Amino acid sequence: MPGATLSRWTMSYFAAACLFLVIGECMLAAGYGYPFAEVGAPETLALVHLVAIGWLGLLMVGALLQFVPVLVAAPLRGGRLAAPALLLIIAGLLLLLGGFGALAGGPPLSPNLLPLGAVVIVAGFVLVAGMLAATLLAARPLPHPARFVAAGLLALVATVLIGACFAVLLSGAIESDLLTALVVHGVPLHAALGLGGWLSFTAIGVSYRLLPMFMLAPDNVRTTTKVAWWAGTAALGLVAASVGLAVIEPSAMTGLLVLAMLLTLGLTVLYGADAVRFYRKRRRKAVELNIRASYAAFAALIASVAMFALPAMRAAAGEGAAALVYLFVFGWLSGLGLAQLYKIVPFLTWLECYGPVLGRVPVPRVQDLVSERRARLWFYLYYAAVSAATFSLFMGSNPSFRIAALAQLAATIALIVEFARARNLSAVAAASRFPVGVPRPHLFLPPFRHRSEP
């Protein structure tokens, strides 16, 4: 990874993200939130934000702290802010969940926790955006994968600011006709900027670097990549413009959003074509499990976007197109995240442990840190469970959904155990596990006696 060092706090972000994913899936299996409550109910909002911020947001930030320096071949700026940002995001999320709990009539909690949590979350993400933006700005002109990340950061800022407006209004702290109009018409835009702009656009950008790197494929920029970038950026611009129209002229939003949907469909097709090209041009013929497990995530992306473009499918997907959102969040974003964690965690662990002694003593390969035969079964179970849960939402079968959610939870926990085993070098033969000079890796916290970061 030229120009980059290991990020001290990436494993901590990953660990916190996995914890929130397990909590969210426990809530799904227990029947908390949609489809057992309405889409707009406080219970559903709590579950959605726990998954979106706690799981997907922390996962993405942890990955970017490590891979943005790789994308631009330059060191991370302001790396010492990573720990306070993590604490602020977690604290803000817990306050936000407390606020939703108050709206749901929970134990003695106050709705005022909503704006307080929003402010703390905004502060955490501002630190993150500052670190990453400073790193990107210092490396101009940006390579194409980094441009996706830059656009994703702008979507992140818009998402958290709109969310803060929602929190202020829902808490009752402020009464405003403009904010009321934004809440009434802007929730889908908030979700589109967060799930589509921040998380998906950024994931696509990072994967344009990681897929060829892990498959040893040529990563030259082609016309399809450039058009995908412009299509995605234009779609994000149209959604952002619609936020203003949501307040002053909601009826004018329809045309912009239809065009944004078509551009998103085009982006998805072009990105899929580039992923196929990476696979066909790869020099590593034996494809590892993280790549094979990503195929299903790509399929979920294409299926959810294509079906969302069809009004009849959106209507059949339940309240707020819930089934398609579920497929997008747990099939595409979460599936891709778990698949890449299966490679990233052992890869970073290998660099941390064996990088300092490489060339001086025999060391195991990265593949020796995992057991693909066992993990393959968990990925099969995970995607089968997500498919079954999506189908159950289409059919309106709540008992089937809970069974599928329970299977999804079991697969997720099993995969997290695999990550922990890789971190502990459990699959490495005892004789070659710790040659002289190899440090023992910490599970998820960094060693605290360390050279100061820039």
Side-chain angles (χ1 to χ4, degrees):
M1 296 190 296
T5 57
L6 289 175
S7 167
R8 293 189 67 203
W9 292 97
T10 284
M11 287 298 170
S12 303
Y13 276 84
F14 288 167
C18 289
L19 176 61
F20 281 115
L21 174 60
V22 169
I23 294 173
E25 291 182 341
C26 284
M27 293 165 69
L28 284 170
Y32 191 89
Y34 188 87
F36 307 93
E38 294 181 356
V39 164
E43 294 88 344
T44 303
L45 296 177
L47 178 59
V48 166
H49 286 83
L50 186 144
V51 172
I53 299 174
W55 156 234
L56 294 172
L58 292 179
L59 172 68
M60 184 60 71
V61 173
L64 291 180
L65 291 177
Q66 181 60 54
F67 289 108
V68 163
V70 177
L71 296 181
V72 298
L76 179 70
R77 300 294 182 100
R80 62 173 59 88
L81 299 177
L86 174 62
L87 294 176
L88 284 171
I89 294 171
I90 292 176
L93 176 58
L94 295 178
L95 290 169
L96 198 68
L97 297 178
F100 285 126
L103 293 182
L109 298 169
S110 168
N112 291 328
L113 292 175
L114 282 173
L116 179 60
V119 168
V120 177
I121 288 175
V122 168
F125 278 118
V126 164
L127 293 183
V128 169
M131 283 187 288
L132 299 175
T135 305
L136 293 173
L137 288 172
R140 291 175 296 169
L142 295 177
H144 262 79
R147 295 181 189 182
F148 283 85
V149 175
L153 286 178
L154 292 176
L156 167 64
V157 172
T159 302
V160 296
L161 290 179
I162 295 172
C165 293
F166 290 172
V168 169
L169 187 74
L170 291 175
S171 70
I174 293 178
E175 293 185 2
S176 164
D177 291 339
L178 292 179
L179 288 182
T180 301
L182 183 62
V183 169
V184 171
H185 302 289
V187 172
L189 307 178
H190 176 59
L193 287 170
L195 297 178
W198 154 231
L199 293 167
S200 293
F201 211 52
T202 305
I204 288 172
V206 174
S207 68
Y208 266 120
R209 182 70 182 93
L210 290 189
L211 290 179
M213 185 173 81
F214 289 149
M215 289 193 283
L216 298 181
D219 62 352
N220 52 308
V221 177
R222 293 166 59 94
T223 301
T224 49
T225 310
K226 295 178 182 177
V227 177
W229 148 255
W230 282 111
T233 304
L236 287 177
L238 291 172
V239 174
S242 299
V243 175
L245 291 176
V247 176
I248 59 176
E249 188 55 61
S251 61
M253 294 166 44
T254 305
L256 295 185
L257 294 180
V258 169
L259 182 55
M261 189 67 247
L262 293 175
L263 288 168
T264 302
L265 190 57
L267 161 68
T268 304
V269 171
L270 293 170
Y271 172 59
D274 282 339
V276 171
R277 174 172 59 87
F278 291 143
Y279 179 79
R280 296 180 64 181
K281 298 289 185 181
R282 74 192 190 282
R283 291 193 293 274
R284 175 172 287 166
K285 296 305 176 186
V287 177
E288 294 176 83
L289 182 56
N290 67 302
I291 299 297
R292 299 199 301 276
S294 299
Y295 297 160
F298 296 144
L301 169 64
I302 294 171
S304 56
V305 171
M307 286 192 287
F308 197 85
L310 302 174
M313 293 303 298
R314 286 204 302 272
E319 190 180 359
L324 296 178
V325 174
Y326 193 92
L327 181 62
F328 190 87
V329 169
F330 289 105
W332 155 236
L333 288 171
S334 300
L336 183 70
L338 290 169
Q340 294 312 312
L341 277 180
Y342 188 73
K343 178 67 178 183
I344 293 171
V345 170
F347 184 54
L348 296 183
T349 303
W350 185 91
L351 286 176
E352 178 184 346
C353 294
Y354 302 113
V357 300
L358 197 61
R360 290 191 280 131
V361 298
V363 300
R365 303 170 304 161
V366 177
Q367 298 94 310
D368 295 331
L369 273 63
V370 295
S371 172
E372 290 199 356
R373 177 177 298 181
R374 185 175 52 238
R376 186 187 306 125
L377 298 176
W378 307 135
F379 277 113
Y380 280 139
L381 178 60
Y382 177 82
Y383 283 116
V386 170
S387 301
T390 302
F391 185 72
S392 299
L393 290 175
F394 269 111
M395 295 296 103
S397 174
N398 292 356
S400 299
F401 177 80
R402 288 187 68 172
I403 294 172
L406 189 60
Q408 184 178 324
L409 170 64
T412 300
I413 291 175
L415 286 170
I416 292 173
V417 170
E418 296 296 327
F419 304 155
R421 285 176 54 82
R423 194 73 187 138
N424 286 324
L425 307 176
S426 300
V428 179
S432 57
R433 190 175 300 162
F434 292 111
V436 175
V438 171
R440 287 182 178 274
H442 294 239
L443 186 57
F444 61 89
L445 287 175
F448 287 95
R449 284 190 301 176
H450 193 278
R451 182 174 59 84
S452 298
E453 290 183 280

